[in-house]
Amino acid sequence: MKVVCLSGGVGGAKLVRGLHDVLPPGDLTVVGNVGDDVEVLGLHVSPDLDSVLYALAGLNDEERGWGRADETWRVLGAARAWGGEDWFQLGDLDVALHLVRSQALRRGDPLSAITRRLAAAVELATTVLPATDDVLRTRIVTSEGTFGFQEWFVGRRHEDDVDAVVYDGAETAAPAPGVVEALRDADAIVLAPSNPYVSLGPIFAVPGIREAIGRRGVRCIAVSPLIGGRAVKGPLDRMLTRMAGGTTPAHVASFYDGLLDALVIDAADAPAEAGVPLVVSATLMDDRAASRRLATVVLEAAT
Ligand code: FO1
């Protein structure tokens, strides 16, 4: 069963890992967000693609939610001592990946080709595609100004209320090679429990991706990123309250605007009415077994 999963970082990567575990090898394609990519110390960092790669390779730090397990921070400390920027924490092991990617980008290789090589280096059967090879950056509009995503999220600890989210470069971006084809050939499409504004929004903003999902003849299932109306991690509940008017399943479903055949919600959000069929399950993925269980529920809803 060929499945395409659109995913952001931390929460999305947990479902991706579950899908990867329960599907036959090679049946999963992940389309990842690049809107929160950032340049730090001259290195190109793709946090969401990296969260997916690290989770699939079993290299991720479960506790922190991003970056690698058994990480050390000596490079960052040394860079700080030389007067370098240290607002965005790059671990020593993590830096290795950014060095390899940045060198290849400078050589002119597309991000999709680089990501394919990185996935091959850790022998992943799952295909990981950036939504686009073009430069697309999420910007956060607040009353204090407009900030790059990481500047707001990490630098300002996502404390400013968000008035709007914009996707710089989206209008002229094209889907990365393989994205539209994977959506066209999929037996099911899954929208991971990622922040709709800043993780899935930038993917939908690439012309051709939402349209390809709209054209599908297969089921499209989303997993709500909220549990009991609260974000498991991050600012989504505040963003939804301010920009969509609430944090019920109906508010989550409204973001996907006619694309969904079902929304998987946590038992803590049921009963509810969302204008789409709801599947009630336990959606907290606090270990690998929970990721597999939720992936199984999603795949049942998708068939
Ligand atoms: N998140 C933080 O809150 N602080 C950091 O210093 C930080 C560094 C970082 C480095 C590499 C990486 O792949 C992710 C990193 N993240 C950090 C997480 C990241 O900002 C967000 O989780 C995602 O961009 C949101 O999807």
Side-chain angles (χ1 to χ4, degrees):
M1 179 184 191
K2 297 257 178 255
V3 175
V4 175
C5 181
L6 274 56
S7 178
V10 182
K14 290 184 177 179
L15 181 66
V16 164
R17 190 176 62 179
L19 290 167
H20 171 90
D21 284 352
V22 301
L23 283 165
D27 273 12
L28 178 62
T29 298
V30 182
V31 177
N33 172 38
V34 295
D36 58 1
D37 285 17
V38 64
E39 181 137 325
V40 183
L41 292 169
L43 301 176
H44 180 105
V45 185
S46 294
D48 284 2
L49 294 179
D50 295 350
S51 291
V52 168
L53 287 172
Y54 288 155
L56 290 177
L59 296 170
N60 59 309
D61 187 289
E62 304 273 353
E63 193 83 355
R64 209 181 320 111
W66 49 269
R68 286 189 58 159
D70 302 319
E71 189 57 281
T72 52
W73 307 91
R74 298 191 65 195
V75 169
L76 186 74
R80 183 188 301 128
W82 288 112
E85 56 180 333
D86 65 352
W87 63 280
F88 196 79
Q89 295 183 34
L90 298 183
D92 300 336
L93 298 173
D94 196 26
V95 160
L97 169 51
H98 310 317
L99 286 169
V100 171
R101 176 191 289 123
S102 302
Q103 182 189 37
L105 283 170
R106 266 196 303 276
R107 218 165 39 207
D109 294 355
L111 185 60
S112 56
I114 300 166
T115 308
R116 191 178 333 114
R117 289 203 297 271
L118 295 170
V122 284
E123 298 177 357
L124 295 187
T126 289
T127 302
V128 182
L129 299 171
T132 180
D133 280 335
D134 298 317
V135 177
L136 186 168
R137 293 290 175 270
T138 301
R139 291 180 67 76
I140 305 293
V141 181
T142 80
S143 59
E144 298 300 308
T146 299
F147 304 103
F149 175 77
Q150 298 297 353
E151 189 186 356
W152 169 75
F153 188 83
V154 175
R156 301 176 68 88
R157 296 192 189 84
H158 47 76
E159 280 167 2
D160 321 270
D161 284 332
V162 181
D163 294 327
V165 179
V166 292
Y167 311 112
D168 266 8
E171 318 81 66
T172 53
V179 171
V180 171
E181 294 82 350
L183 289 167
R184 185 194 58 205
D185 298 342
D187 298 311
I189 297 171
V190 176
L191 308 182
S194 300
N195 184 317
Y197 292 105
V198 298
S199 298
L200 298 186
I203 302 178
F204 287 129
V206 177
I209 294 188
R210 187 183 266 272
E211 293 77 359
I213 299 174
R215 274 198 306 273
R216 77 195 182 279
V218 299
R219 287 171 68 75
C220 176
I221 312 295
V223 179
S224 171
L226 298 179
I227 297 184
R230 303 293 305 270
V232 178
K233 207 174 174 194
L236 175 60
D237 40 16
R238 276 172 52 220
M239 295 175 80
L240 268 172
T241 301
R242 191 169 166 86
M243 288 189 285
T247 61
T248 67
H251 293 103
V252 173
S254 70
F255 192 89
Y256 299 112
D257 194 20
L259 285 182
L260 297 187
D261 294 296
L263 175 67
V264 180
I265 61 167
D266 192 80
D269 295 292
E273 174 52 56
V276 292
L278 296 174
V279 175
V280 180
S281 183
T283 62
L284 184 68
M285 293 174 281
D286 46 8
D287 60 22
R288 204 159 176 151
S291 294
R292 284 193 208 108
R293 277 197 299 275
L294 183 57
T296 305
V297 169
V298 169
L299 295 178
E300 274 165 13
T303 44

